[in-house]
């Protein structure tokens, strides 16, 4: 993630077809000095989104007991009534990406016909992966395949003509092998092409309209082909405010999940008491580390931390592959890919689902969560992808991280399922969700060392997410300025932590998921419109 000035970042190399607009980056901004601190903020976007977040934190902390049931109802209503909408949107994003790969538009180069990539493939992939998925894989790597396996093996249960079980599709009652196949297919569906297509569409739009069209690196720029100069008015303000709020709550959801997992790990290793107090202290510590990273600057902060984390994650992955059922994991990688392809049409079907609990409770929640993360991950990917062709960009953003997720889920989830089926190890199924990773590692050698590495990974993934998330929110709320004053990033980084604390205290996991879904819903509509705008933008570009 390069610390380039705005002018350097936006300067095209070779032929482009820029948009002719009188709008200047930062023209609607308020620039002021408060003591030693400088501020440079978009007056409406920063003030409205900032006030909304401050108000949310105040109300949730002041009325903790009253808001908890409300969060549960919001999440239930949105995922149950709008599951078809989230599933359909996910399919549309994948189809859009596939069409762009095979069409002549794939030849367009981000940054101009002569642009060259800023990063090597190795550096690019590690940043793609760390930004987009890191933390979720730590939390769900064991928990999700095992949950689907148990539900599928248990078969279906029906009350009053409605299925009450949580198994994907038609389940696999009493058949451990079929249940394991279905569990892994369902898990890969949630971590494969669909989420990465969500990220790719938005990242492509941001990169195209900034590097090729010369517009500010902010969400509203993507919609210029549809709204013209109106994107600099209230249409654009609303798009940017939604992006800021969605990103903040998406990050806070992950921060809360990570805190609960790190707390479980610390309790497991060192006997530190579980509970809200421990989680709140962890959120404060992670936020403090993120603030240090924010002040260190991008190349010194995020890039270095991403690289350290990828080495640690790779070491843990290799350890599990070598110490777990190695042959089963390596053959399972291809077998799970085949199961994913086989079950994909049924899993991605938005209508006529008999497995309504799975479609609403798992898939709709995931899609809303990925979408709420998309402004953050999209802008991060856009900034590190200058110089790539559209075809290269989409193939790499879709396939490389998806395959890495398949390997991770196969190693961690496959090992846990093998422990249950072949070794009769029940501790991993009985453990609470945040503790399942540590229960799985406990049955392997060097458990205390690998569990400690697991906790470090959770924390560092969070620091990188919180740091780069603050940068993205700050860029949007500063009207597209990529070099806005550091105190603004400190403000957003601090409030990510405060929102996570408010959600932990105001209903825990249910509250976290409710806010991810609530902010993901309106932003899904924004993203669907963005698909049309991106195609229109690409059609006017020279194909070098």
């Amino acid at each position: 993630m390069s610390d380039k000035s705005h002018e350097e970042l936006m300067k095209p190399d070779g032929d482009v077809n820029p948009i002719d607009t009188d709008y200047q980056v930062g023209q609607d901004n308020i620039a002021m000095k408060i003591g030693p601190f400088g501020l440079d903020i978009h007056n409406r976007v920063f003030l409205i989104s900032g006030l909304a977040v401050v108000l949310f934190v105040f109300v949730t902390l002041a009325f903790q007991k009253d808001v908890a049931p409300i969060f549960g109802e919001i999440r239930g209503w949105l995922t149950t009534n709008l599951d078809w909408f989230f599933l359909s949107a996910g399919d549309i994003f994948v189809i859009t990406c596939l069409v762009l790969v095979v069409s002549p538009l794939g030849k367009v180069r981000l940054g101009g016909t002569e642009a060259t990539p800023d990063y090597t493939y190795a550096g690019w992939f590690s940043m793609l992966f760390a930004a987009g998925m890191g933390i979720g894989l730590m939390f769900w790597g064991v928990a999700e395949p095992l949950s689907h396996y148990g539900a599928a093996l248990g078969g279906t249960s029906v009350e009053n003509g409605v299925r009450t079980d949580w198994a994907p599709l038609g389940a696999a009652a009493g058949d451990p092998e079929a249940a394991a196949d279905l569990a892994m297919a369902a898990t890969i569906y949630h971590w494969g092409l669909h989420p990465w297509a969500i990220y790719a569409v938005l990242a492509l739009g941001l990169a195209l309209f900034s590097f090729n069209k010369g517009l500010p690196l902010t969400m509203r720029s993507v919609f210029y082909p549809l709204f013209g100069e109106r994107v600099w008015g209230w249409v654009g303000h609303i798009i940017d405010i939604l992006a800021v709020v969605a990103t903040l709550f998406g990050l806070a959801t992950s921060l809360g999940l990570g805190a609960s997992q790190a707390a479980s790990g610390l309790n497991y290793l060192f006997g530190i008491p579980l509970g809200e107090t421990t989680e709140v202290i962890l959120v404060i510590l992670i936020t403090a580390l993120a603030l240090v990273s924010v002040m260190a600057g991008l190349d010194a902060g995020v890039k270095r931390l991403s690289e350290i984390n990828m080495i640690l994650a790779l070491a843990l992955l290799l350890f599990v592959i070598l110490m777990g059922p190695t042959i089963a994991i390596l053959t399972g990688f291809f077998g799970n890919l085949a199961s994913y392809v086989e079950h994909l049409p049924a899993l991605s079907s938005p209508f006529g689902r008999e497995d309504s609990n799975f479609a609403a409770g798992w898939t709709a929640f995931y899609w809303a969560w990925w979408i709420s993360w998309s402004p953050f991950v999209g802008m991060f990917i856009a900034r590190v992808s200058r110089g790539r062709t559209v075809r290269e960009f989409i193939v790499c953003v879709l396939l490389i991280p998806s395959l890495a997720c398949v390997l991770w889920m196969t190693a961690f989830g496959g090992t846990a399922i093998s422990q249950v089926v072949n070794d009769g190890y029940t501790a991993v199924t009985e453990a609470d969700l945040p503790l399942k990773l540590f229960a799985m590692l406990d049955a392997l050698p060097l458990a205390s060392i690998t569990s400690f590495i697991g906790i470090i990974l959770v924390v560092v993934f969070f620091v990188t997410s919180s740091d780069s998330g603050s940068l993205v929110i700050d860029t949007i709320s500063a009207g597209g300025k990529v070099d806005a004053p550091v105190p603004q990033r400190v403000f957003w980084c601090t409030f990510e932590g405060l929102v996570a604390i408010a959600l932990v205290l105001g209903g825990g996991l249910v509250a976290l998921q409710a806010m991810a879904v609530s902010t993901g819903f309106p932003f899904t509509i924004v993203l669907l419109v963005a698909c049309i705008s991106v195609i229109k933008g690409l059609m006017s570009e020279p194909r070098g």
Side-chain angles (χ1 to χ4, degrees):
M1 194 122 153
S2 183
D3 266 329
K4 290 182 174 182
S5 73
H6 182 267
E7 286 70 26
E8 282 181 294
L9 198 65
M10 303 309 166
K11 202 172 173 186
D13 295 308
D15 296 332
V16 291
N17 186 18
I19 285 170
D20 185 21
T21 176
D22 295 331
Y23 184 82
Q24 296 294 311
V25 175
Q27 73 175 38
D28 295 328
N29 284 19
I30 298 171
M32 64 177 103
K33 267 205 156 345
I34 302 172
F37 301 117
L39 286 179
D40 193 346
I41 55 176
H42 189 287
N43 54 1
R44 291 178 181 86
V45 174
F46 185 93
L47 291 174
I48 294 172
S49 50
L51 283 172
V53 170
V54 172
L55 187 66
F56 172 84
V57 170
F58 172 76
V59 170
T60 307
L61 291 178
F63 304 101
Q64 287 172 32
K65 291 197 167 49
D66 300 323
V67 297
I70 295 169
F71 284 133
E73 286 171 21
I74 289 171
R75 184 201 153 185
W77 190 90
L78 281 169
T79 53
T80 306
N81 291 287
L82 294 173
D83 55 341
W84 62 271
F85 172 73
F86 286 117
L87 267 71
S88 302
D91 294 343
I92 288 167
F93 299 133
V94 173
I95 291 164
T96 302
C97 287
L98 296 177
V99 166
L100 288 175
V101 166
V102 298
S103 78
L105 298 177
K107 292 180 181 174
V108 173
R109 189 173 290 277
L110 300 171
T113 51
E114 307 297 322
T116 54
D118 292 335
Y119 296 96
T120 62
Y121 275 118
W124 189 41
F125 292 155
S126 71
M127 283 192 279
L128 287 183
F129 190 67
M133 290 288 175
I135 190 61
L137 291 176
M138 294 301 297
F139 190 92
W140 294 110
V142 173
E144 185 174 348
L146 212 51
S147 298
H148 295 329
Y149 171 76
L153 191 65
T156 58
S157 55
V158 179
E159 283 179 26
N160 302 323
V162 179
R163 259 180 67 175
T164 54
D165 62 273
W166 285 76
L169 303 179
D175 185 342
E177 192 177 330
D181 283 348
L182 187 55
M184 293 310 300
T187 303
I188 293 165
Y189 169 54
H190 290 151
W191 294 86
L193 294 178
H194 281 72
W196 287 99
I198 293 166
Y199 296 155
V201 165
L202 192 55
L204 179 60
L206 287 163
L208 174 73
F209 287 98
S210 298
F211 304 148
N212 297 54
K213 304 296 188 184
L215 299 183
L217 186 64
T218 185
M219 215 55 58
R220 66 178 74 203
S221 298
V222 177
F223 296 85
Y224 193 94
L226 298 176
F227 297 110
E229 290 293 312
R230 282 177 295 166
V231 295
W232 314 126
W234 273 106
V235 170
H237 300 341
I238 290 166
I239 289 167
D240 280 354
I241 290 163
L242 279 174
V244 167
V245 174
T247 307
L248 196 86
F249 283 109
L251 281 166
T253 301
S254 301
L255 191 48
L257 287 174
S260 70
Q261 188 174 29
S264 296
L266 290 169
N267 169 262
Y268 172 76
L269 281 180
F270 307 114
I272 292 169
L274 278 174
E276 289 176 350
T277 308
T278 308
E279 289 183 27
V280 168
I281 291 168
L282 277 166
V283 170
I284 292 168
L285 287 173
I286 292 169
T287 304
L289 287 169
L291 284 170
V292 172
S293 180
V294 158
M295 292 186 221
L298 293 175
D299 280 338
V302 177
K303 188 161 177 278
R304 200 163 295 154
L305 279 172
S306 291
E307 286 165 356
I308 292 167
N309 235 27
M310 293 317 292
I311 292 165
L312 278 176
L314 197 60
L316 188 61
L317 176 64
L318 288 172
F319 174 83
V320 172
I321 292 171
L322 293 172
M323 294 296 144
T326 310
I327 303 300
I329 290 170
L330 297 176
T331 55
F333 175 79
F334 298 101
N336 292 339
L337 270 177
S339 295
Y340 167 58
V341 172
E342 179 193 340
H343 292 294
L344 184 60
L347 287 167
S348 59
S349 171
F351 303 105
R353 297 290 288 263
E354 53 171 326
D355 55 343
S356 53
N357 276 352
F358 173 81
W362 280 98
T363 307
F365 160 65
Y366 263 134
W367 281 194
W369 188 20
W370 298 146
I371 286 163
S372 70
W373 264 64
S374 64
F376 148 53
V377 183
M379 194 170 291
F380 188 93
I381 293 173
R383 286 192 64 175
V384 298
S385 300
R386 195 178 184 281
R388 309 283 174 190
T389 65
V390 169
R391 184 168 291 129
E392 178 187 21
F393 172 88
I394 291 177
V395 168
C396 291
V397 171
L398 250 62
L399 290 188
I400 303 298
S402 291
L403 290 172
C405 288
V406 174
L407 182 59
W408 185 279
M409 291 298 186
T410 300
F412 283 74
T415 298
I417 291 171
S418 170
Q419 288 171 346
V420 174
V421 176
N422 299 324
D423 308 334
Y425 179 62
T426 56
V428 71
T429 53
E430 291 159 5
D432 290 336
L433 278 181
L435 201 54
K436 286 190 186 294
L437 170 69
F438 304 108
M440 184 275 285
L441 291 172
D442 194 38
L444 301 178
L446 308 174
S448 47
I449 295 171
T450 53
S451 295
F452 188 64
I453 289 172
I455 295 169
I456 292 171
L457 273 168
V458 169
V459 171
V460 181
F461 268 131
F462 259 112
V463 172
T464 53
S465 296
S466 186
D467 181 346
S468 17
S470 312
L471 166 88
V472 167
I473 294 170
D474 183 38
T475 303
I476 299 169
S477 62
K481 284 200 168 182
V482 294
D483 47 7
V486 172
Q488 290 164 218
R489 225 180 293 166
V490 170
F491 168 85
W492 289 115
C493 189
T494 307
F495 266 87
E496 275 163 38
L498 285 173
V499 170
I501 290 168
L503 290 169
V504 165
L505 296 174
L509 187 61
V510 172
L512 292 163
Q513 293 179 338
M515 288 318 296
V517 175
S518 303
T519 50
F521 169 62
F523 206 71
T524 306
I525 299 166
V526 171
L527 275 190
L528 288 168
V529 177
C531 290
I532 303 163
S533 200
V534 168
I535 291 167
K536 280 180 76 97
L538 284 169
M539 287 170 77
S540 65
E541 277 298 295
R543 295 159 206 170

